[in-house]
Amino acid sequence: MEVWGITHRGVVRQQNQDAFSARTMDDGRVIALVCDGMGGARAGNVASAMAVDLFMDRFLRESGDDQERMQRAASQANQEIFQKAATDEDCTGMGTTLVAALAGAGEAVILNEGDSRAYHINGDGIVLITRDHSLVEDLVERGELTREQARTHPHKNLITRALGAEPVLLADCFRQPLAQGDFLLLCSDGLSNLVTEQEMLYEVIHGGDSESCPQRLLDIALHRGAPDNVTAVLIRC
């Protein structure tokens, strides 16, 4: 397992409120997560950084069932962000998305809250694993918007769930089979709003070496004006 990641504030934003972490564990598996903060000039940055640090610290200290480890790590991060938002005036209303993946031989366990995404990519194509917790995704599922209309909808950034928004976390969990040569791509909406799935597929499979793929994806977003922060983490089996 190998992993590479990149984050950038984009062209418009003055501050990067995205955060990520990725590491290869002693058993060879990779644990990685991407968080996209919200809640004002300072607070979004605080929420995403807290989520990354708290999740990784708790997850790496524990053992046992992988899904339960991830859920406990995310729940602790949620509780501490919620508490800080409730007690620190500068952080009122803050929160963050979270998408995390634990990838090993044969399978990945993926956890998500908000609209940061996880994709499974191989020579057969690209599949979105996670479901956005967002207003436009709800409209798409009800048949009120097409997928293409959702990409340009004025409220596409309104999320319905986030770490720190509620005292109890209700994150979704997925199990994704993995084969040798498969990839997982984790990203914030600063990437997925500007780079199409077909472009992601091309860059991962055909665009060049895997190590530089996150930079290539970032470059596409920057070329298109990158109005939001951009983060991409690529895991190769």
Side-chain angles (χ1 to χ4, degrees):
M1 307 295 295
E2 296 177 285
V3 62
W4 307 272
I6 196 167
T7 188
H8 193 282
R9 66 179 177 85
V11 175
V12 176
R13 299 288 177 89
Q14 296 300 307
Q15 184 185 57
N16 190 354
Q17 297 191 345
D18 284 3
F20 81 93
S21 183
R23 67 178 66 189
T24 302
M25 299 163 59
D26 291 342
D27 61 9
R29 295 184 297 170
V30 165
I31 179 71
L33 73 158
V34 169
C35 294
D36 178 358
M38 63 181 191
R42 189 175 81 85
N45 187 52
V46 171
S48 62
M50 284 181 65
V52 166
D53 291 345
L54 290 165
F55 179 95
M56 290 297 273
D57 179 69
R58 176 69 181 266
F59 179 84
L60 293 170
R61 283 191 290 108
E62 293 205 350
S63 59
D65 180 79
D66 294 332
Q67 181 175 328
E68 291 179 0
R69 288 173 70 189
M70 295 178 76
Q71 290 174 328
R72 287 194 296 269
S75 292
Q76 179 177 336
N78 179 76
Q79 291 168 2
E80 297 203 24
I81 293 168
F82 181 83
Q83 183 66 23
K84 188 169 183 63
T87 57
D88 186 335
E89 289 184 1
D90 291 335
C91 296
T92 300
M94 77 173 180
T96 182
T97 70
L98 181 147
V99 60
L102 174 63
E107 184 181 63
V109 182
I110 294 159
L111 197 76
N112 92 291
E113 180 85 349
D115 62 355
S116 294
R117 294 179 171 183
Y119 293 91
H120 175 250
I121 301 171
N122 60 23
D124 295 329
I126 179 171
V127 175
L128 175 61
I129 302 168
T130 51
R131 177 196 178 276
D132 291 352
H133 302 131
S134 67
L135 175 63
V136 295
E137 183 64 24
D138 292 344
L139 294 174
V140 168
E141 290 197 348
R142 294 203 298 264
E144 298 177 29
L145 285 179
T146 66
R147 185 64 62 188
E148 190 57 35
Q149 288 171 331
R151 285 183 61 84
T152 58
H153 195 278
H155 300 311
K156 66 179 181 293
N157 294 325
L158 294 179
I159 60 176
T160 55
R161 282 160 55 176
L163 254 73
E166 301 290 341
V168 178
L169 182 68
L170 298 173
D172 293 342
C173 191
F174 307 86
R175 289 184 177 269
Q176 174 64 47
L178 293 177
Q180 185 174 352
D182 285 3
F183 294 85
L184 293 174
L185 176 65
L186 310 182
C187 66
S188 62
D189 67 342
L191 185 78
S192 58
N193 283 341
L194 293 180
V195 181
T196 69
E197 292 184 0
Q198 288 305 304
E199 288 170 328
M200 294 177 189
L201 174 63
Y202 177 84
E203 291 300 335
V204 171
I205 301 298
H206 304 295
D209 65 88
S210 298
E211 183 176 2
S212 64
C213 183
Q215 180 66 58
R216 295 196 305 272
L217 293 170
L218 171 61
D219 288 343
I220 295 172
L222 293 174
H223 182 71
R224 293 175 181 167
D228 200 356
N229 309 144
V230 182
T231 302
V233 173
L234 184 67
I235 303 169
R236 181 173 68 187
C237 303

